[in-house]
Amino acid sequence: MWKMLAALVLVSSTALAQEQFSAYDALRVVGVHTSRDAVNHVVSVTGVRGNPQPQTWRVLMNDRTRGGIREIQVRNGQVVSDRPSSVVGSAEGATINTSRLNLDSSGAFEVASHIAEKSGTRFDSASYTLRTDQHGDPVWIVTLHSVNGGPVGTIYIGANRGNVTRTEGMFAGATMADVQTEREVPRDRGHEEGKEEVSEEGDKEHGPLYGVRQRMRGYFQRAQDEASGMFDRVRRSFSDYINR
């Protein structure tokens, strides 16, 4: 009897997870609500405290008819709010190229969960932001929260190739740039008048936390490589999704 009840609970939980709306689902609703072309003018997509997906997605987009930024909120597959946004500033150059989107929020969660597991970070919920980075490429920023709501870590994931480019609050804050920098730091400095020259940067590199940083960088790199390997499984083209 208990085994049967547990199986029913498991099936119900799985069905509930499948019913949760992802960012792609929210963008499709926006396209139906406004126009198909609207998804080509999205500036950002955000959702907070998802378990794992948030109940409400907030979509900011360029309003080509009235100018400025338009904010549309989608909850449970329906538009619940459509109004001018209070966001200040220009969205020029910040529009997401949806043809380069290959990672839905569900896939971003799986990658972020893997990174959290590898770094020993426990979390209760996740918040999502999809926007462009400094190079104009789409990026997922997934912030993990503890039970009391406080942030415990943030992962930056390329939405085009699924690569983890940065973490905050995990792996001692190591990034792929740190890893590359470490490989380029020479072990031996030059000598002048019989004294070893060690720059301030070198002092930091070989300070009391040097060994810890080394290990954290190694952990991060392995986790990053494993996350890249996950991409084939979680990859989801937005163009294929919206055109089906």
Side-chain angles (χ1 to χ4, degrees):
M1 179 66 182
W2 285 110
K3 290 183 179 180
M4 183 178 297
L5 180 59
L8 290 173
V9 170
L10 178 60
V11 170
S12 299
S13 300
T14 303
L16 179 60
Q18 291 175 344
E19 289 176 0
Q20 291 191 331
F21 287 89
S22 70
Y24 281 12
D25 295 328
L27 288 176
R28 168 173 277 176
V29 171
V30 168
V32 173
H33 174 72
T34 55
S35 68
R36 177 66 173 274
D37 183 60
V39 298
N40 296 318
H41 304 282
V42 172
V43 175
S44 68
V45 182
T46 58
V48 298
R49 302 296 303 274
N51 188 23
Q53 300 298 301
Q55 293 184 349
T56 302
W57 287 103
R58 177 172 173 255
V59 180
L60 296 184
M61 54 191 296
N62 284 319
D63 192 334
R64 303 183 68 188
T65 58
R66 289 172 284 183
I69 303 296
R70 182 176 179 181
E71 177 184 316
I72 300 177
Q73 293 190 18
V74 178
R75 183 182 303 135
N76 297 327
Q78 296 182 337
V79 172
V80 295
S81 175
D82 183 350
R83 61 189 178 186
S85 173
S86 58
V87 172
V88 178
S90 172
E92 184 178 355
T95 302
I96 296 171
N97 183 352
T98 53
S99 67
R100 302 197 66 196
L101 282 180
N102 291 311
L103 194 66
D104 198 354
S105 55
S106 54
F109 176 78
E110 290 198 44
V111 173
S113 296
H114 180 77
I115 295 296
E117 179 183 0
K118 290 300 180 180
S119 67
T121 303
R122 296 183 178 182
F123 67 96
D124 179 68
S125 61
S127 294
Y128 305 81
T129 296
L130 174 64
R131 61 170 176 78
T132 56
D133 62 13
Q134 64 270 27
H135 304 295
D137 297 321
V139 60
W140 277 110
I141 304 173
V142 183
T143 298
L144 306 177
H145 303 274
S146 63
V147 175
N148 62 11
V152 295
T154 301
I155 304 101
Y156 292 70
I157 310 166
N160 182 28
R161 296 184 291 117
N163 54 314
V164 177
T165 59
R166 176 180 172 188
T167 65
E168 296 174 357
M170 303 181 214
F171 303 106
T175 68
M176 285 309 293
D178 290 330
V179 175
Q180 186 63 34
T181 300
E182 170 59 24
R183 288 173 177 168
E184 295 174 353
V185 171
R187 294 298 181 187
D188 297 319
R189 304 287 181 176
H191 290 73
E192 181 179 351
E193 297 180 356
K195 295 182 179 180
E196 183 179 15
E197 292 180 351
V198 181
S199 66
E200 182 179 356
E201 180 181 353
D203 281 333
K204 292 179 181 177
E205 199 68 35
H206 296 82
L209 298 179
Y210 177 70
V212 175
R213 293 176 65 189
Q214 283 286 87
R215 289 194 298 274
M216 290 301 102
R217 286 169 177 168
Y219 296 155
F220 175 83
Q221 187 174 18
R222 285 194 294 274
Q224 200 271 354
D225 291 342
E226 292 172 1
S228 296
M230 295 174 59
F231 184 55
D232 287 339
R233 179 169 60 82
V234 300
R235 186 183 189 278
R236 192 181 192 191
S237 165
F238 180 76
S239 296
D240 291 345
Y241 169 84
I242 202 70
N243 290 322
R244 70 184 184 187

